[in-house]
Amino acid sequence: MVTLQKKRPQRGNSLLSHALAFAAGLIIHSLVSREDCGDVVLKEISKNKSKNSPASTALRPPQPLTQSLSDVSGVKLVSGGWVGETETKELNFYDIGLETGTDKVQGQKNLHLCLKEGKMCNEPKHVREECQPFGHFYHTLYQQKLGSYSHKDAEPFQFLEVGFFNGNGYDMYRKFLPRGECHSIEISCLPHGDKNDGKTWQPWGNFAEKNPKYQQYLDENLLHCGDANDVNYLMDVWTKEMKRPGAPPLKVVVDDGSHEAAHMAQSVLFWLPRIEPGGFLFVEDIQPSSVANAFTTQFLPQIMKDLHYCGDKDKPTEDEACFPTLVGMVQSIHCEMHICVIERNQAPAKELSLEESKLPTNGLDLKKCKSMLPGHW
């Protein structure tokens, strides 16, 4: 649930003074315009390059939120921000998601229509009511984890989305993260042809070009056309386009690509070690399906086991890590319906070789990790 702290009024304030303060907050908020993510970040890149010094990696951690919005009086949602007695700095994911049309928040919007009117239902035969409407309920998790990253005075950082599709989600991230240098990878914008020639083999056409800002994103070198499951291509994007001198630190990665278990797991193996301390890696669309199930039933149990890994110096083979390249890098794993986020701890980011960046054979088969077998915990 998205929550917000309610500020206790000072003793002696009159009802009139509260009303005047609230009205002033609305007026001030209406005069403040949101800058586009790309414009802000490109300015920062230029400034950093001129100073020949890398951007600071410090970012405020997300602040705990303790009170339900339904319990907060005198608070109104305006243009993606909360306005009450004072204006907050945190933008609202749900509001911006509705504005850009991403399906990440449509479940909340369509739930009543589906259950009460039979409209906007995607899977009406599902037993669980939240699974019936079109769209997802991702706003609660994103707000909790990335709310502080939406502050306009946050330190510059890099964001990567795997799976641009038609760009509704990417547009949303650019508005929600005004200090982020927002990258995205999409396979459908490759030229149609033979995969061996570096082209795409899919017959559906270029989804990305339907976005009105498609050419702008290409010109900004923030939309990258290629296969996000190809570690060779990922290494090129990382080393040539993202890990530049003076570039801001990589803090957030979102996998919203093919929704296939092997591709999701590959994103975790490649990108998690490269995310800076305190950052996040989100994996979306892990709902029950034949192509995604192995991520939740085979991959997640192994990385969860590694989260608690200690090892035994006297019996090193009895408690082996399932994913050695990720051991000691995970702070927490938090899942909500059909989405999980892996939080990085304070261990430094590290570079891996191409071979180390690949999904190992046990990735989607937990029986191939010895310590997952009975008697080895």
Side-chain angles (χ1 to χ4, degrees), residues 39-297:
D39 294 337
V40 174
V41 174
L42 291 176
K43 291 177 185 177
E44 286 296 326
I45 293 171
S46 176
K47 182 174 69 175
N48 289 332
K49 284 185 176 180
S50 65
K51 293 182 179 180
N52 195 30
S53 62
S56 169
T57 60
L59 275 175
R60 280 194 299 264
Q63 299 300 310
L65 302 171
T66 59
Q67 189 167 0
S68 167
L69 293 174
S70 61
D71 296 331
V72 179
S73 59
V75 178
K76 185 177 182 182
L77 178 60
V78 179
S79 301
W82 290 104
V83 178
E85 293 176 348
T86 60
E87 181 183 359
T88 68
K89 296 180 180 180
E90 190 169 304
L91 299 180
N92 185 269
F93 189 94
Y94 180 75
D95 183 61
I96 297 174
L98 290 180
E99 178 185 332
T100 60
T102 176
D103 66 349
K104 301 177 193 297
V105 302
Q106 295 294 323
Q108 181 69 36
K109 175 186 175 183
N110 296 326
L111 182 60
H112 179 82
L113 289 173
C114 177
L115 298 181
K116 302 301 182 182
E117 302 179 27
K119 300 177 181 178
M120 300 303 296
C121 294
N122 192 46
E123 298 290 347
K125 294 183 180 180
H126 280 322
V127 174
R128 186 174 177 179
E129 292 183 343
E130 292 88 347
C131 297
Q132 295 180 22
F134 168 77
H136 303 288
F137 300 79
Y138 297 160
H139 55 288
T140 54
L141 188 58
Y142 277 115
Q143 192 72 52
Q144 180 188 24
K145 300 301 184 182
L146 300 186
S148 66
Y149 286 54
S150 71
H151 294 173
K152 288 192 173 184
D153 59 353
E155 292 290 336
F157 63 95
Q158 281 188 331
F159 164 93
L160 172 67
E161 172 194 56
V162 174
F164 181 88
F165 190 51
N166 60 15
N168 288 348
Y170 180 76
D171 289 341
M172 183 272 307
Y173 289 122
R174 283 184 66 132
K175 291 189 176 184
F176 182 66
L177 303 171
R179 297 289 284 171
E181 179 186 304
C182 302
H183 292 260
S184 187
I185 297 176
E186 172 59 39
I187 193 172
S188 73
C189 54
L190 282 172
H192 185 74
D194 191 335
K195 178 182 178 182
N196 295 326
D197 294 330
K199 299 179 180 180
T200 181
W201 64 97
Q202 56 88 5
W204 308 293
N206 185 352
F207 299 121
E209 66 180 354
K210 298 177 182 179
N211 188 288
K213 295 184 178 180
Y214 170 66
Q215 191 59 49
Q216 172 191 328
Y217 296 155
L218 290 174
D219 294 341
E220 291 173 343
N221 203 29
L222 294 173
L223 175 58
H224 311 287
C225 299
D227 184 354
N229 193 50
D230 182 347
V231 293
N232 292 283
Y233 175 72
L234 293 181
M235 190 69 80
D236 280 345
V237 171
W238 171 240
T239 58
K240 297 177 181 178
E241 310 297 344
M242 297 180 68
K243 197 180 180 183
R244 316 175 309 273
L250 177 63
K251 299 293 285 191
V252 183
V253 174
V254 174
D255 183 284
D256 185 22
S258 68
H259 313 329
E260 294 185 20
H263 297 174
M264 296 171 177
Q266 180 61 75
S267 288
V268 175
L269 265 294
F270 186 91
W271 290 111
L272 189 66
R274 294 171 168 87
I275 295 175
E276 293 295 325
F280 299 96
L281 189 150
F282 294 83
V283 182
E284 298 183 359
D285 294 281
I286 57 173
Q287 59 266 29
S289 70
S290 59
V291 296
N293 276 344
F295 184 84
T296 54
T297 62

